[in-house]
Amino acid sequence: MLRTRVKEEVIIPAYEGRAIVVPKGHYLCIIDMEGQQVGDFVCFNQGNPGEHVSPVHMRSSLSSIRLKEGDGLYSNYRRPLMTLVKDTVGKHDFFFPACDYYRYKVDFDLEEHPNCHDNLEKALKPYRLGYTELPDPINWFMNNVLDDNGDYVIEPPLSKPGDYVMLEALDDVVVAVSACSQDLAPVNGWKVTPLKLQVLEGI
Amino acid sequence: MLRTRVKEEVIIPAYEGRAIVVPKGHYLCIIDMEGQQVGDFVCFNQGNPGEHVSPVHMRSSLSSIRLKEGDGLYSNYRRPLMTLVKDTVGKHDFFFPACDYYRYKVDFDLEEHPNCHDNLEKALKPYRLGYTELPDPINWFMNNVLDDNGDYVIEPPLSKPGDYVMLEALDDVVVAVSACSQDLAPVNGWKVTPLKLQVLEGI
């Protein structure tokens, strides 16, 4: 059994994002504190910010649109930057975009709704990563339900309070997570609640 | 019935890419000349190259991972730049990446295999679009076969010689298409063959 201790802990308030460094060999837990809360996640190689976790390449390298324990989080260089080592939920998304200005403007005619894209950009700003377009996210706990035609609906997450995923860093990485700010659809159970990040080291 | 005439025609040789401008209100046909040949496709708004067709946003706006006649090809601004008006095949992919240097290096230990990423970049170079990362492609005619677990295999395309898709431009767009250069897997039936582009106007 993996024995660890917490080195750093960060609460992500509802409607906000936070970034954190996870050193190589350390673990990151993303904890759904109250349940049914999606976390939009991006991850950069700290030593080469041009390399980042890339869901489109993950779908190729994993030959799947579902994540399982043991799966690598592959980068645009087709090598894993992290590994999903533990998952208490078993249902996540990595084909859907972060909500953004255009989502709320086009679909809800709202100008200033909090959104994951801007939450992630704000959280990453101090790291000066120099990208131009934010990479696509992994949406932890997001529950897309596909039918046989390839059409889908987004239902509330299956996660209960305290559920989590645990990732191992295979390189020094900068990770950002947003408490998905969509409160006008079922994706977070029609409300937005906090998440918790923990960086752990093995003991 | 839509009546059109051909204004411009371009052959895309096997293992290469070509780019073309499709003016607003005109149509683009992508024709699989010999059958079973995937075409990797990217599309930019000519008036604002920061806006491009974005498969991740398409999957959200269409609530689907399958394309049907009438579907919009949505951009990163969540509005359609083109519409799929006719499709003689009915099976395409928009969740898989373009093959690239890393695909052949990591999976086949090849340094210099032709690849769609580089074909598209070379074809787009004269247009000086100024992007840093090439957008994800739509892979016309690509036949991913999903199982109930979300795992999939890539099988040869269902397209026969002369099959095509027809797209209407909703703005002036720059399109690039690569004759997918993967000859080491079933994706193009284990061989690479030419495609044809036609720009048509209504009469």
Side-chain angles (χ1 to χ4, degrees), chain A residues 68-83:
Chain A
K68 295 171 285 295
E69 285 182 0
D71 281 349
L73 309 191
Y74 286 81
S75 77
N76 50 331
Y77 297 176
R78 299 191 188 238
R79 66 185 195 104
L81 290 178
M82 306 189 86
T83 304

Side-chain angles (χ1 to χ4, degrees), chain B residues 127-200:
Chain B
Y127 294 91
R128 305 168 66 88
L129 297 168
Y131 60 85
T132 47
E133 274 196 65
L134 192 71
D136 294 343
I138 298 173
N139 302 300
W140 297 109
F141 314 123
M142 183 169 173
N143 184 16
N144 64 51
V145 180
L146 270 172
D147 70 18
D148 289 342
N149 296 323
D151 299 331
Y152 66 86
V153 291
I154 306 289
E155 296 194 350
L158 303 178
S159 47
K160 296 181 174 52
D163 270 329
Y164 66 96
V165 291
M166 185 181 198
L167 308 169
E168 180 178 4
L170 305 179
D171 255 311
D172 297 342
V173 293
V174 179
V175 164
V177 179
S178 167
C180 177
S181 298
Q182 174 57 278
D183 49 12
L184 304 165
V187 58
N188 303 302
W190 301 96
K191 64 190 185 312
V192 180
T193 55
L195 296 169
K196 183 157 68 177
L197 302 180
Q198 286 182 332
V199 175
L200 305 107

